[in-house]
Amino acid sequence: MSVEKSDQVIFLISNKGEATLAKRRVRSFALDLGFADDLAEKLAIVVAELASNLLKHVGEGHLLVSRLREGEQFGIEIESVDQGPGLSALGDSFADGFSTAGTLGNGLGSINRIMDDLEMLPGHHKGLRIIARKWIHRPGKTAGLVCPFDIGVASRPHPKMSVNGDNFLVRSGPDFSFACVIDGVGHGQFAFKAAISARNYLEGHFHKPMTQLFQGAARACASTRGAVMAALTLDWRTHRISFASVGNIEIRVKGPKSYSFIHRRGVVGSRMPPFKPQEEVWEPGTLMVLFSDGIRTSWTWDEFADLYNEPSSKIASAMLNKLARDNDDATVMVIKDKKS
């Protein structure tokens, strides 16, 4: 199904006043399209960031704002066009200026976190095109669905470090669960920055397809050391699993079915290979464990046999306490059936 564009508005950006006008009008445009107030405000911030890049790096340029439609889905496209020297002029502006205070940060990193798609392309003649898209996400009806999975995580930093270079995310949609383990390359502040950059992107996009999630996380990590990552979605209706992994996050499964999950070499944000998500079906009675390389691999299921009927969080904590290495960050995630 093709994407239709319409109602395009073009803004010349050559001074701060024109940037402010574009920001205000795009906020109204977004509200008219059906975006919620908070998202309309974030889209206005995207315009402010793109306009700032034009003024800072090139001096002037244009913002093209269009209405999108793909079937019954609606959205907005914001495109920045300039006649400058191209991508090299942006320097480190893709660095994600994330803030622990909850602000949006600065630069293209914050745009990447807000938008669903972000592309940087050569201009038609010269210069740079930055194309960002955001779709209106309307969760489906749950029809009284209850999550059938119990997901628990235990994590701790390198014993000599104050911050954790590992991270994780567990979220639920209307009919699915998303779970992810992230390990920033190395440990300490640089690993923490990489892992939190990936997590911040995933936090706002976990309902998107797996390939898109990894691509967005890679953009978020582009100015960091990068990270390794394993993620899966679990469909509550069909019990189907969509799984993807780049790097050395281990996964082990005990249960009635043998799984062969594929791990691709590479680093999210640096050397990420192309891939397609792996599709499997969750069998009742399955116990799945994902863990970072701060966990010893020389363990057996028998060591934890007395915990199989315990909540996943208790199993994860027990495994972390027993198996964590003393020279790295460590994370264990456990997924099992929820007790009825």
Side-chain angles (χ1 to χ4, degrees):
M1 190 176 294
S2 61
V3 177
E4 303 172 8
K5 291 203 300 186
S6 62
D7 302 332
Q8 187 176 83
V9 181
I10 301 175
F11 300 95
L12 170 65
I13 306 296
S14 60
N15 57 59
K16 290 184 178 179
E18 290 169 338
T20 300
L21 175 63
K23 177 182 176 181
R24 185 166 61 248
R25 289 191 57 188
V26 168
R27 185 182 187 282
S28 296
F29 188 83
L31 289 171
D32 290 343
L33 286 178
F35 283 95
D37 287 350
D38 60 334
L39 268 180
E41 186 60 38
K42 288 181 180 180
L43 289 167
I45 291 175
V46 168
V47 169
E49 295 285 8
L50 290 172
S52 176
N53 274 326
L54 288 173
L55 295 175
K56 178 180 178 181
H57 298 294
V58 187
E60 69 172 21
H62 291 84
L63 294 180
L64 290 66
V65 182
S66 305
R67 172 191 178 101
L68 298 178
R69 179 172 180 173
E70 186 176 25
E72 297 303 313
Q73 189 176 25
F74 293 88
I76 190 170
E77 179 180 277
I78 304 171
E79 179 177 356
S80 169
V81 180
D82 66 60
Q83 297 295 310
L87 187 60
S88 60
L90 291 178
D92 293 331
S93 62
F94 215 108
D96 192 351
F98 69 87
S99 167
T100 55
T103 57
L104 286 172
N106 301 300
L108 294 178
S110 61
I111 297 173
N112 184 50
R113 289 205 313 280
I114 295 169
M115 305 302 279
D116 293 328
D117 304 293
L118 180 62
E119 293 182 272
M120 290 183 288
L121 305 170
H124 294 302
H125 301 291
K126 64 175 183 176
L128 177 69
R129 297 169 63 209
I130 301 175
I131 304 171
R133 291 177 170 180
K134 184 70 177 178
W135 297 94
I136 298 174
H137 177 59
R138 295 189 175 96
K141 296 181 180 179
T142 61
L145 288 177
V146 176
C147 175
F149 303 105
D150 176 20
I151 305 174
V153 188
S155 184
R156 65 121 177 94
H158 186 298
K160 295 183 180 180
M161 299 292 169
S162 59
V163 293
N164 194 347
D166 284 1
N167 216 305
F168 61 90
L169 183 66
V170 179
R171 290 291 181 269
S172 293
D175 57 2
F176 73 94
S177 294
F178 174 81
C180 181
V181 174
I182 308 160
D183 181 358
V185 174
H187 41 258
Q189 290 287 347
F190 294 112
F192 169 77
K193 180 181 179 182
I196 198 70
S197 294
R199 185 189 185 282
N200 283 346
Y201 176 82
L202 297 171
E203 178 79 53
H205 299 84
F206 65 89
H207 57 282
K208 293 295 180 179
M210 193 65 70
T211 301
Q212 186 174 326
L213 291 179
F214 273 73
Q215 290 170 344
R219 292 193 298 267
C221 292
S223 62
T224 73
R225 286 182 175 178
V228 297
M229 188 166 84
L232 67 159
T233 57
L234 298 152
D235 189 296
W236 298 356
R237 297 175 186 270
T238 65
H239 283 203
R240 293 196 66 82
I241 304 169
S242 179
F243 173 83
S245 176
V246 172
N248 60 346
I249 302 295
E250 294 279 344
I251 181 168
R252 293 192 188 178
V253 180
K254 178 179 176 58
K257 179 178 178 179
S258 176
Y259 295 89
S260 297
F261 290 106
I262 299 171
H263 298 268
R264 296 163 183 84
R265 291 187 177 184
V267 175
V268 177
S270 176
R271 302 180 302 278
M272 192 174 76
F275 66 88
K276 290 184 178 180
Q278 187 174 347
E279 304 294 330
E280 297 283 353
V281 175
W282 178 277
E283 292 292 336
T286 296
L287 178 65
M288 180 180 292
V289 179
L290 289 80
F291 55 97
S292 67
D293 64 355
I295 297 295
R296 291 190 291 106
T297 58
S298 57
W299 58 270
T300 66
W301 290 108
D302 289 343
E303 295 178 64
F304 304 97
D306 59 334
L307 295 173
Y308 291 165
N309 292 322
E310 297 292 340
S312 60
S313 58
K314 184 172 181 178
I315 300 173
S317 294
M319 297 186 81
L320 180 75
N321 291 336
K322 185 172 182 177
L323 303 174
R325 302 178 189 273
D326 61 6
N327 61 352
D328 203 353
D329 312 295
T331 299
V332 179
M333 174 181 287
V334 175
I335 306 173
K336 58 179 293 192
D337 298 312
K338 185 178 290 184
K339 289 183 177 180
S340 57

